[in-house]
């Protein structure tokens, strides 16, 4: 089981490194790498879920998994695979609107941030140390903020600042009401 966890942790990082390095360009090869990475992680998660015993949590030196974690990992993986398969059409639409043609490397940056976002979510669910879990939660917030603003348009940067402001304001004061946070985002 630990080998599957290592695969789940390693594949998104390798894909992100290849995407941000620009070795694969920004064409079809990069799109397929993203899709194949998500599919491989999906297979590893399915194998992990099949080998998991719900009554006995998996506990190693750095990793802890219980039945709830496995369910949430399955949900995240389903969304991850679905988002990976539609990412190409989203990026092609944004490119046709002219957002991605201004700055080279934005497609690679998107895929790198996409993979790191999923990696940080997996890390939150699987890490055993509470301090590292807190760091992973904060990393998820920061990576999602960069993912929101990857086009570097005025509206994308404004949405990112509102997101961070609402996240930290309502997270700091302990108010976890998403409707209030969404309303506050429209007032700002």
């Amino acid at each position: 089981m630990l080998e599957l966890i290592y695969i789940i942790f390693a594949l998104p990082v390798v894909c992100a490194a290849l995407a941000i390095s620009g070795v694969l360009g920004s064409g079809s090869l990069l799109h397929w790498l993203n899709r194949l990475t998500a599919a491989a992680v999906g297979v590893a998660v399915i194998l992990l879920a099949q080998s998991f015993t719900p009554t006995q949590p998996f506990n190693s030196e750095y990793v802890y998994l219980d039945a709830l974690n496995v369910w949430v990992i399955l949900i995240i993986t389903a969304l991850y695979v679905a988002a990976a398969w539609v990412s190409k059409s989203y990026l092609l639409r944004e490119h046709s609107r002219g957002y991605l043609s201004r700055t080279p490397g934005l497609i690679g940056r998107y895929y790198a941030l996409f993979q790191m976002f999923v990696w940080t979510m997996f890390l939150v669910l699987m890490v055993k140390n509470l301090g590292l879990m807190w760091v992973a939660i904060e990393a998820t917030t920061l990576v999602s903020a960069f993912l929101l603003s990857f086009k570097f348009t005025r509206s994308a940067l404004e949405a990112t600042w509102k997101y961070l402001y609402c996240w930290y304001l309502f997270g700091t004061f302990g108010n976890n009401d998403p409707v209030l946070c969404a309303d506050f985002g429209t007032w700002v």
Side-chain angles (χ1 to χ4, degrees), residues 2-22:
L2 199 55
E3 293 82 14
L4 291 171
I5 293 170
Y6 290 151
I7 290 170
I8 293 168
F9 279 146
L11 285 178
V13 174
V14 170
C15 181
L18 288 172
I20 200 70
S21 69

Side-chain angles (χ1 to χ4, degrees), residues 4 62 64 75 83 94 178 182:
L4 291 171
Y62 298 110
Y64 180 82
I75 292 168
E94 294 299 309

